[in-house]
Amino acid sequence: MSPSKKINELRSLLERHNHLYYVEARPEIADAEYDRLFRELETLEHQHPELDDPNSPTRRVGGAPLEGFNQVNHPVPMLSIDDVFTEEEVLDFYQRLQKNLGRKSITVTIEPKIDGVATSLVYRDGALAYGATRGDGLTGDEITANLRTIPSLPLTLKTPFPAMLEIRGEVFMPNKAFARLNEEREEAGLQTFANPRNATAGTLKQLDSRLVAKRPLAFIAHGLGAIEGLDLLSEGDFRSLLNSCSIPCNEPVWTTDSSNGVLSAIRELGQRRLELPYATDGAVIKIASLSDRAALGATSRAPRWAVAFKYPPEQKPTRLLDITIQVGRSGILTPVAELEPVSLSATTVSRATLHNESFIHDRDIRIGDTVLAHKSGEIIPEVLKVIIEDRPPGTKPFSMEEHLQGTCPACNSPIVRRANSESKERPVVTWWCENPLCPNKAVAALTHFAQRKALDLEGLGESVAIKLVESGMVKSPLDLFSLRIQELSGLLLDPARLQTGESSKPRRFGEKKAKLLIDSINDSKADQPLSRWIFAMGIPQIGESASRELSRLHKTLPDISSSEILRTICLLADLEEERKEVSPHNKDRPPRDDAERSARKKLHDALRERIQKAEDEIADYEISPDIGAVASRNLIAFFNSQHGKEFMQQFERLGLCPESANFLPRPSEASAATDMPLAGKTFVITGTLSQPRSIYKEMIEQGGGKVSGSVSGNTSYLLAGEGGGSKRDKADKLGVDILSEDQLISMLK
Ligand code: IVH
């Protein structure tokens, strides 16, 4: 089979399995088989850069960061929708339709209003051409690179498809994934997202699509924009088209031709919507017939043929009985609201995270207050605000410092306060227990170390971890490697609860389970690759993908502990900060006179050169944003800490030496086939061009060249449109050739 045929076959196969997994939730092949096919395609694409396609499933991992988003005009304006809040208003809407269309029976559909971010997708000849945000309704941001990373969003359509199809839909973050993301952020001391919609909007705004690929977004279609080459008559036709093209479609849907039918559908959806895996805030009622829609038309703001019934958000007052403190694996201390139990969005809620001290202070939340509780995204219990009129006398503001008396609630060792400034204006204040031997931290660290995604140790869950730490057998994860069957068999577990409601006698861990656990501990020495080990160590900000990236860049753990790459990443961040600070254009600290200006300019230019040098040193590694300055600093801090040094000593004493399974030495300079016109050349694109940048990027890559985000000593050419200031300056300075669009095209010929 020809490579081109094989590549096409693999691409459609992978897209099909992707759809089965992410949209239909009924995979037909094992993950390992999917990975194998994916790697096969990757290898073939690498060997045949001329067959590159931006819609290949391999592109879902994201690409180089953009400088900004291009603007695109929507083929048809993206309108808003009129909201109604009562059943009477719904009846008014239906009566208006009857009057305006001059007949009694009007077929309408009722479907959930997904609380996400409105998106338009344009498919030409069955392939995603571009996607955009709503923007002002006429013009939006072109965010194709970000959208491509969304697994449930089809990059190619199943045949038969119309020549051109513009789909409107919602990008959102499923509730469970949102909860997990916030937990991770809380654990890392980062600001959490208020709800899934904010998390989605914040993610889609990222210029680095590789970061977007790591966030669990999903897509569901709910409307038709423009279409060419096919006539549709009704909502039913539209839905059949979505199904036959494998575009995920908004469900459940009710169809009715009476006003009573509408009311019962919105009531039923009101019950069911809380069980949907994503946040919804209403029911959208639409006329089914497309010709009726055209006849009714739209105001400048919203169509006359649709309306959104908004469900009242479930918020209830309850009493804040107490504030307790939880200790996380990283040592972060999280305040938790102990609430008088209250029923909210289908469950009883008695605890809610208060995130951090800033959250409590911003809302002036005090113990004893009556608070308004809700479920964020209908899933995460949260305190919205204090009902100030109901504040009992004598409450005082909550202070973590006073409450904890400066010590960790689990180990009584001193705690420290840090202001994490992800956003400079509103730093998040967090408290941390820094005692590496804190029992709560030790339990969390041990559970993390043993979990499936880490070293996958058999039979070591949270309850066993608690007992191992309580008994003193294990103080830190590496102690596991010195455990003996005999002592482990004797470990006393909590009595089990019997079905009769009584408790059993205290149980021992037992020889059989002890043997299994010790075997799996021993196996992990030889079997688990470096990436699992790094993840298992639980260093802040080092999750699974950062661990994999570290093991791509290093062969062993000692290599990481003395890594030049990590040092360079930190140095770069420091230099960049210094450069901004001394820049004569620093608005916060402008130069006082010409002498200072020129001195600072000199310093600034010198820093620029050092930055350039450092960038050049690591450019070839193409390091993913998982290993940024924060992650690198955390790693270096870990290896320099007393705890880290002891860890490494124990690690060596135990004779542990996991090796990287994906180690890639510095990539060779020219990987592209050399007979291609742009082989071995690196391009940077800047300024306003006559076509979207993605098109030029594709042309360059098809010619065997590479496109990078910033000008450096490795840049061969700068493709420059109008404007493009700083990159053009840098290229001038480094003597990089600057090309016009026409020059690029003639090079490709
Ligand atoms: S249909 C032209 N259906 O709500 C108006 N919109 O419309 C027809 N939305 O930002 C809109 N779920 O993206 C429609 N099932 C649904 C929807 C839905 C969410 C969003 C839409 C828009 C907003 C107002």
Side-chain angles (χ1 to χ4, degrees):
M1 194 186 296
S2 75
S4 126
K5 202 153 169 240
K6 183 75 201 167
I7 283 180
N8 283 335
E9 197 182 281
L10 282 168
R11 283 177 183 159
S12 39
L13 196 62
L14 282 162
E15 272 297 272
R16 192 174 93 80
H17 288 302
N18 187 64
H19 180 83
L20 284 169
Y21 186 94
Y22 284 102
V23 181
E24 303 205 10
R26 47 177 193 99
E28 284 179 4
I29 57 174
D31 293 2
E33 176 62 4
Y34 184 90
D35 291 346
R36 196 190 60 73
L37 293 169
F38 192 92
R39 279 195 303 273
E40 189 180 348
L41 176 58
E42 255 181 347
T43 311
L44 276 173
E45 286 181 343
H46 199 71
Q47 289 163 353
H48 297 278
E50 74 283 6
L51 298 174
D52 188 28
D53 182 339
N55 286 322
S56 168
T58 54
R59 295 290 196 91
R60 287 195 183 272
V61 295
L66 306 174
E67 253 178 56
F69 295 121
N70 295 322
Q71 298 286 302
V72 286
N73 293 330
H74 297 302
V76 182
M78 284 180 86
L79 297 180
S80 185
I81 192 166
D82 286 329
D83 290 333
V84 297
F85 299 91
T86 63
E87 294 195 345
E88 260 124 67
E89 288 175 297
V90 174
L91 294 177
D92 285 349
F93 167 73
Y94 197 80
Q95 277 159 16
R96 224 166 30 243
L97 296 181
Q98 288 173 320
K99 192 170 139 238
N100 289 340
L101 291 170
R103 58 175 204 269
K104 200 140 191 286
S105 151
I106 289 156
T107 309
V108 295
T109 59
I110 297 96
E111 65 184 57
K113 184 167 191 295
I114 305 169
D115 199 8
V117 174
T119 304
S120 146
L121 305 175
V122 173
Y123 291 88
R124 287 210 184 86
D125 298 323
L128 180 67
Y130 67 85
T133 61
R134 179 169 181 274
D136 64 3
L138 300 175
T139 312
D141 285 339
E142 191 243 346
I143 52 165
T144 321
N146 288 349
L147 294 172
R148 275 206 184 96
T149 67
I150 301 175
S152 55
L153 187 154
L155 300 179
T156 50
L157 302 181
K158 221 170 94 189
T159 48
F161 44 74
M164 189 288 225
L165 179 63
E166 189 212 354
I167 291 294
R168 302 275 167 83
E170 221 63 15
V171 174
F172 59 92
M173 193 176 285
N175 292 337
K176 282 200 180 131
F178 165 71
R180 218 173 302 129
L181 177 70
N182 259 0
E183 266 168 34
E184 280 166 23
R185 291 180 69 88
E186 194 146 282
E187 177 74 18
L190 298 173
Q191 182 103 53
T192 51
F193 291 108
N195 53 49
R197 181 169 34 77
N198 284 9
T200 307
T203 303
L204 288 179
K205 271 195 211 118
Q206 300 288 330
L207 291 169
D208 191 337
S209 51
R210 287 171 299 189
L211 290 179
V212 182
K214 307 231 151 67
R215 296 265 174 87
L217 298 181
F219 174 82
I220 287 182
H222 56 56
L224 178 66
I227 184 166
E228 284 164 23
L230 185 69
D231 274 333
L232 300 179
L233 298 179
S234 66
E235 176 71 16
D237 284 1
F238 171 63
R239 286 180 170 259
S240 310
L241 175 68
L242 292 178
N243 282 325
S244 71
C245 291
S246 276
I247 302 172
C249 184
N250 195 15
E251 312 264 38
V253 59
W254 287 258
T255 306
T256 175
D257 50 15
S258 73
S259 52
N260 273 338
V262 177
L263 293 187
S264 65
I266 59 178
R267 285 178 201 147
E268 210 178 309
L269 178 57
Q271 296 291 314
R272 277 177 66 182
R273 71 187 188 97
L274 297 174
E275 282 143 38
L276 294 175
Y278 43 79
T280 56
D281 61 347
V284 178
I285 305 149
K286 300 174 187 172
I287 290 205
S289 149
L290 299 197
S291 57
D292 284 348
R293 290 187 192 176
L296 289 165
T299 67
S300 63
R301 211 189 76 82
R304 292 198 187 86
W305 47 263
V307 78
F309 172 78
K310 292 299 216 45
Y311 294 102
E314 268 237 272
Q315 304 178 343
K316 283 192 189 151
T318 185
R319 185 149 318 265
L320 177 61
L321 302 173
D322 198 4
I323 296 178
T324 54
I325 309 289
Q326 241 170 20
V327 188
R329 170 167 53 84
S330 58
I332 194 164
L333 304 177
T334 310
V336 177
E338 305 289 343
L339 301 168
E340 202 163 272
V342 55
S343 133
L344 268 179
S345 304
T347 63
T348 304
V349 168
S350 56
R351 305 186 89 201
T353 175
L354 291 169
H355 303 293
N356 51 57
E357 193 164 32
S358 311
F359 184 91
I360 300 178
H361 286 174
D362 291 352
R363 290 161 186 75
D364 189 21
I365 297 171
R366 305 183 185 184
I367 296 173
D369 266 334
T370 303
V371 294
L372 197 59
H374 82 146
K375 275 195 193 162
S376 160
E378 262 133 25
I379 181 157
I380 300 169
E382 195 173 62
V383 171
L384 271 176
K385 62 167 194 175
V386 172
I387 302 174
I388 243 7
E389 309 84 81
D390 292 343
R391 171 169 285 168
T395 58
K396 47 184 191 70
F398 180 83
S399 145
M400 292 272 273
E401 194 162 25
E402 258 176 54
H403 181 84
L404 294 168
Q405 292 296 316
T407 59
C408 167
C411 70
N412 284 325
S413 57
I415 54 175
V416 295
R417 180 181 188 273
R418 281 188 217 146
N420 186 332
S421 48
E422 195 184 76
S423 79
K424 283 242 160 63
E425 308 81 56
R426 281 194 68 253
V428 187
V429 174
T430 45
W431 286 90
W432 303 73
C433 166
E434 293 213 313
N435 171 15
L437 301 176
C438 170
N440 276 25
K441 274 165 81 173
V443 169
L446 201 56
T447 318
H448 174 79
F449 190 80
Q451 68 167 296
R452 174 98 77 83
K453 294 189 290 184
L455 288 199
D456 193 13
L457 303 181
E458 182 121 9
L460 210 180
E462 195 179 20
S463 56
V464 175
I466 292 174
K467 294 296 161 191
L468 283 171
V469 171
E470 271 179 12
S471 70
M473 275 184 216
V474 175
K475 292 194 178 61
S476 80
L478 290 185
D479 294 343
L480 290 172
F481 292 86
S482 319
L483 279 180
R484 293 175 184 287
I485 291 197
Q486 221 185 356
E487 59 174 338
L488 188 55
S489 329
L491 183 71
L492 280 179
L493 301 178
D494 275 338
R497 264 218 176 276
L498 301 177
Q499 282 195 334
T500 56
E502 297 154 52
S503 297
S504 73
K505 288 203 207 98
R507 301 165 299 152
R508 285 173 191 284
F509 194 59
E511 196 162 324
K512 208 163 126 203
K513 280 211 220 134
K515 193 164 176 315
L516 275 177
L517 177 53
I518 293 217
D519 281 350
S520 100
I521 291 171
N522 285 334
D523 288 350
S524 74
K525 283 194 208 173
D527 296 350
Q528 298 294 17
L530 179 63
S531 55
R532 294 264 198 147
W533 273 87
I534 307 170
F535 174 64
M537 287 161 66
I539 297 168
Q541 295 278 303
I542 309 299
E544 277 182 287
S545 36
S547 303
R548 230 170 290 125
E549 182 68 352
L550 282 167
S551 82
R552 186 180 71 90
L553 300 166
H554 306 86
K555 227 176 178 159
T556 65
L557 197 56
D559 285 353
I560 299 178
S561 75
S562 61
S563 168
E564 276 307 316
I565 300 179
L566 297 178
R567 260 166 253 287
T568 308
I569 294 173
C570 292
L571 174 71
L572 260 172
D574 292 344
L575 290 174
E576 190 55 41
E577 201 157 293
E578 204 180 326
R579 185 190 67 76
K580 281 199 194 125
E581 181 66 28
V582 304
S583 163
H585 305 296
N586 180 349
K587 289 202 190 74
D588 299 332
R589 204 169 69 84
R592 269 161 301 181
D593 50 30
D594 282 351
E596 186 183 333
R597 176 169 298 112
S598 95
R600 275 171 56 177
K601 181 161 180 345
K602 256 198 202 141
L603 198 54
H604 180 258
D605 290 349
L607 281 166
R608 249 216 181 132
E609 253 168 60
R610 287 181 62 195
I611 292 173
Q612 190 63 60
K613 233 182 103 214
E615 269 176 0
D616 288 350
E617 265 168 39
I618 54 171
D620 277 352
Y621 291 109
E622 299 186 8
I623 298 167
S624 101
D626 289 311
I627 308 292
V630 179
S632 302
R633 283 204 186 103
N634 287 347
L635 285 157
I636 294 176
F638 171 82
F639 289 111
N640 282 337
S641 70
Q642 188 57 29
H643 168 60
K645 285 185 183 145
E646 280 165 16
F647 182 95
M648 289 307 284
Q649 280 163 9
Q650 195 179 2
F651 185 82
E652 274 169 37
R653 249 197 332 269
L654 290 164
L656 298 168
C657 49
E659 275 200 24
S660 166
N662 60 337
F663 178 62
L664 255 197
R666 189 181 280 249
S668 62
E669 304 294 342
S671 54
T674 42
D675 55 348
M676 314 218 11
L678 307 182
K681 305 285 186 226
T682 303
F683 288 73
V684 173
I685 308 179
T686 187
T688 316
L689 301 160
S690 63
Q691 296 189 67
R693 281 195 192 165
S694 53
I695 304 247
Y696 285 101
K697 182 163 183 280
E698 214 176 309
M699 287 189 340
I700 293 168
E701 290 175 349
Q702 297 222 336
K706 264 194 357 191
V707 177
S708 137
S710 61
V711 177
S712 76
N714 296 335
T715 311
S716 324
Y717 298 103
L718 180 74
L719 171 62
E722 253 171 73
S726 73
K727 287 192 177 167
R728 196 184 268 270
D729 294 348
K730 199 162 173 188
D732 269 337
K733 211 160 155 255
L734 293 168
V736 171
D737 284 333
I738 299 181
L739 297 181
S740 67
E741 296 173 52
D742 290 344
Q743 284 170 314
L744 173 73
I745 289 164
S746 62
M747 275 175 83
L748 279 161
K749 278 195 183 132

